[in-house]
Amino acid sequence: MDDLNEQGTELYSHHGVLVKSQSQNRDEDSQCSGTLSITEYKSIGKCIEWKPTEVSVDSETNDQEWAMVNTVGRRSRTLSGGNDGQSRCRPVRIEMSDLKSFRITRNGQQVTLMQRDGTTHSAFFFQHGNADCFVTALKGYIKTAKSRKDKHMYIVLDQPESQVLDRSFAELDLFTENTSDVVWKFVRNLHHRPYETTLEAFSKLTDIWLYRPVEQRREEEVAELLNRSLTLDETATNVVGEEYAVIQIGSGPVLPPRPPAPRGVPLTVDQWAQFQDEDGRVLEVDIVKDIIFKGGVVPQLRYEVWKYLLGYFPWDSTHAERQQLRKRKVEEYFQMKLQWRSITPGQEQRFSDYRERKSLIEKDVNRTDRTLPFFAGENNPNLQLLSDILMTYVMYNFDLGYVQGMSDLLSPILCLMTNEVDAFWCFVGFMDKVVTYTLTMSLH
């Protein structure tokens, strides 16, 4: 009982969470409201706790015992006496290390926790449908993977593997382990969430390279940081298990200095015209790409050239072929848009995946680049365009649907194109490139 008397540090709390009370008489079952929290103790580590609202924090221990399952499956004694609601609503404590999985149901309103010894606790019901806040906080302390058999269930991964990975990075000393270091976060997250991590990284790059002035970019500082961090000497290698190796750092050779790579001249309007024949086909595509890679494109050409770079227009297409292609793409776009706009409220209520993605898009759109003139102000119609394009993309690629950060990737494309259809198909081409890149990264 000493562990139960210990005062812990509350890391997260959520009020108004309902739990069904336990009673031998089913007719007397009721729901109790309380606070669900994540608390850390020095003796047992992090725990998930639920306390009924009726129980005072200052009450005696004898009146408030925990319904606790520890790492070896030992259950503490339960309260006795009385059939009132308060006596049946016992506080619950679950050690984080004993959590096996959790399931999210009822449109994100209910979370059920399962222990490694097979114990399943009464479901926690979130009255306002915001269980995602608790789940997000929980995922900050454990590693999870979505079940292949049940899309609503998340499996808690064994911690030793993650700890070995973190230790390997620490021993390598490639990057400073700083929770505020973007590079360190990217390296760690890429192993566990390759797709989401890549999207988040790309969304940050759009802000750096498209919206910030050149003088604010810090490529030289970043390059110097990476060059210095990658200065390694592998004097000894010890195998840990079968998957990871710890590399001991010592004295030895240093990476050569980075060769100079000055920025080239951007592709100009005259050059662009010279690289096209009389029918509008782009000639010497590799040379054009090389110029763009080294120097970019002058601003007045981006509207046209980006359509080629993002796969909307084929490089070898003529003026007439591009007109026909765009006509087909306009029809295809509005057919897909009509699909989601014609979904009735009843259909949406029974379509949880669609409803969840729609909700996430609405949240992200309202906070995407609102400081830019293109999206600034209340009731800005460009925000509706952004939302419509993302919703149509859900219908175009329902396997992927929507991942947080995609609104940031679409934003610069829409700002440049200003046209709903053109922005959508450029975004499709960009996402295809991101998916290909992500799959390549995950295979390595």
Side-chain angles (χ1 to χ4, degrees):
M1 295 297 294
D2 292 338
D3 290 346
L4 302 181
N5 294 325
E6 179 185 349
Q7 293 295 322
T9 301
E10 189 175 90
L11 306 176
Y12 170 86
S13 64
H14 195 116
H15 303 284
V17 179
L18 302 179
V19 173
K20 188 175 182 180
S21 64
Q22 303 295 322
S23 174
Q24 295 180 353
N25 186 350
R26 294 184 178 181
D27 295 334
E28 296 181 2
D29 285 354
S30 61
Q31 289 184 329
C32 300
S33 178
T35 300
L36 186 64
S37 63
I38 299 176
T39 307
E40 185 172 19
Y41 295 90
K42 293 182 179 180
S43 59
I44 58 177
K46 298 180 180 65
C47 298
I48 301 171
E49 297 181 348
W50 179 86
K51 300 177 182 179
T53 304
E54 294 85 356
V55 178
S56 172
V57 176
D58 298 326
S59 61
E60 295 297 329
T61 304
N62 291 335
D63 296 329
Q64 181 185 346
E65 294 189 14
W66 297 96
M68 175 181 174
V69 181
N70 63 17
T71 54
V72 297
R74 174 178 56 81
R75 187 183 300 275
S76 64
R77 66 185 181 87
T78 58
L79 294 173
S80 60
N83 289 327
D84 59 317
Q86 179 173 338
S87 64
R88 293 196 303 270
C89 295
R90 296 173 295 149
V92 177
R93 177 187 291 174
I94 306 165
E95 293 185 22
M96 199 84 78
S97 59
D98 195 39
L99 185 63
K100 179 181 180 181
S101 61
F102 57 90
R103 195 166 186 268
I104 307 172
T105 53
R106 292 194 178 183
N107 304 327
Q109 289 185 296
Q110 184 170 289
V111 176
T112 305
L113 305 176
M114 284 141 279
Q115 312 302 324
R116 296 185 183 276
D117 64 354
T119 302
T120 299
H121 284 264
S122 296
F124 298 103
F125 185 79
F126 294 75
Q127 302 179 62
H128 305 293
N130 49 1
D132 57 328
C133 298
F134 168 73
V135 173
T136 300
L138 183 61
K139 289 182 178 179
Y141 303 105
I142 59 176
K143 304 296 183 183
T144 63
K146 205 167 187 178
S147 172
R148 295 182 179 180
K149 298 181 179 180
D150 186 348
K151 65 180 180 181
H152 301 294
M153 179 173 289
Y154 291 83
I155 309 299
V156 179
L157 302 179
D158 292 334
Q159 293 301 310
E161 178 180 350
S162 301
Q163 293 170 1
V164 169
L165 175 68
D166 294 343
R167 187 168 59 252
S168 297
F169 279 125
E171 292 290 340
L172 282 171
D173 198 24
L174 289 175
F175 308 101
T176 303
E177 184 175 359
N178 185 344
T179 56
S180 64
D181 192 329
V182 175
V183 177
W184 175 257
K185 286 183 178 180
F186 182 82
V187 171
R188 291 190 60 189
N189 292 342
L190 191 61
H191 174 78
H192 301 289
R193 302 185 300 119
Y195 193 83
E196 292 86 346
T197 301
T198 305
L199 284 181
E200 291 170 2
F202 275 124
S203 68
K204 301 300 184 297
L205 288 176
T206 59
D207 174 64
I208 295 174
W209 294 106
L210 293 174
Y211 298 142
R212 295 186 185 178
V214 176
E215 59 270 13
Q216 292 186 12
R217 301 175 187 169
R218 299 183 177 179
E219 63 260 37
E220 294 298 333
E221 296 180 13
V222 173
E224 178 63 24
L225 171 64
L226 293 176
N227 191 53
R228 184 172 65 253
S229 300
L230 290 172
T231 303
L232 297 177
D233 179 38
E234 304 174 12
T235 58
T237 301
N238 299 322
V239 177
V240 180
E242 298 180 355
E243 299 184 12
Y244 304 107
V246 177
I247 302 175
Q248 303 296 332
I249 311 299
S251 60
V254 177
L255 289 177
R258 190 179 66 147
R263 184 174 178 83
V265 179
L267 181 70
T268 65
V269 175
D270 292 338
Q271 285 178 309
W272 179 245
Q274 292 173 3
F275 281 114
Q276 298 184 56
D277 64 16
E278 58 183 8
D279 294 323
R281 299 182 185 89
V282 179
L283 309 174
E284 305 292 346
V285 175
D286 290 339
I287 296 178
V288 173
K289 288 182 177 179
D290 186 65
I291 294 174
I292 296 173
F293 175 76
K294 293 179 179 178
V297 183
V298 292
Q300 57 266 39
L301 267 182
R302 289 176 181 170
Y303 174 80
E304 183 176 356
V305 175
W306 275 30
K307 295 175 183 178
Y308 293 87
L309 293 174
L310 297 177
Y312 181 18
F313 288 162
W315 293 92
D316 59 352
S317 61
T318 65
H319 293 303
E321 289 171 343
R322 288 194 291 273
Q323 289 179 356
Q324 291 298 318
L325 173 64
R326 190 178 186 282
K327 182 178 179 181
R328 294 195 304 269
K329 292 297 186 181
V330 169
E331 293 176 355
E332 185 178 353
Y333 174 79
F334 284 106
Q335 285 176 355
M336 291 185 291
K337 184 175 181 178
L338 181 62
Q339 289 176 349
W340 66 265
R341 289 178 66 91
S342 60
I343 292 179
T344 66
Q347 288 176 308
E348 183 175 331
Q349 186 64 28
R350 297 184 294 272
F351 198 170
S352 60
D353 285 344
Y354 171 83
R355 187 174 58 254
E356 291 168 2
R357 291 169 180 180
K358 179 181 178 182
S359 175
L360 186 56
I361 288 174
E362 291 173 350
K363 293 177 182 177
D364 281 2
V365 164
N366 287 328
R367 58 193 179 203
T368 299
D369 295 330
R370 297 304 301 275
T371 57
L372 297 179
F374 190 81
F375 294 112
E378 298 297 328
N379 301 318
N380 190 321
N382 294 324
L383 291 174
Q384 187 60 51
L385 282 181
L386 189 71
S387 176
D388 288 356
I389 294 172
L390 293 172
M391 287 298 300
T392 306
Y393 187 82
V394 169
M395 306 308 297
Y396 172 83
N397 185 355
F398 208 86
D399 286 340
L400 171 60
Y402 181 81
V403 179
Q404 189 169 16
M406 287 171 62
S407 61
D408 295 306
L409 301 180
L410 172 60
S411 171
I413 297 176
L414 181 57
C415 286
L416 179 63
M417 298 297 164
T418 66
N419 178 274
E420 183 177 0
V421 176
D422 292 338
F424 172 81
W425 289 111
C426 287
F427 180 66
V428 167
F430 181 80
M431 290 304 302
D432 289 342
K433 294 178 183 294
V434 171
V435 170
T436 302
Y437 173 80
T438 307
L439 291 176
T440 303
M441 291 285 289
S442 63
L443 290 176
H444 288 77

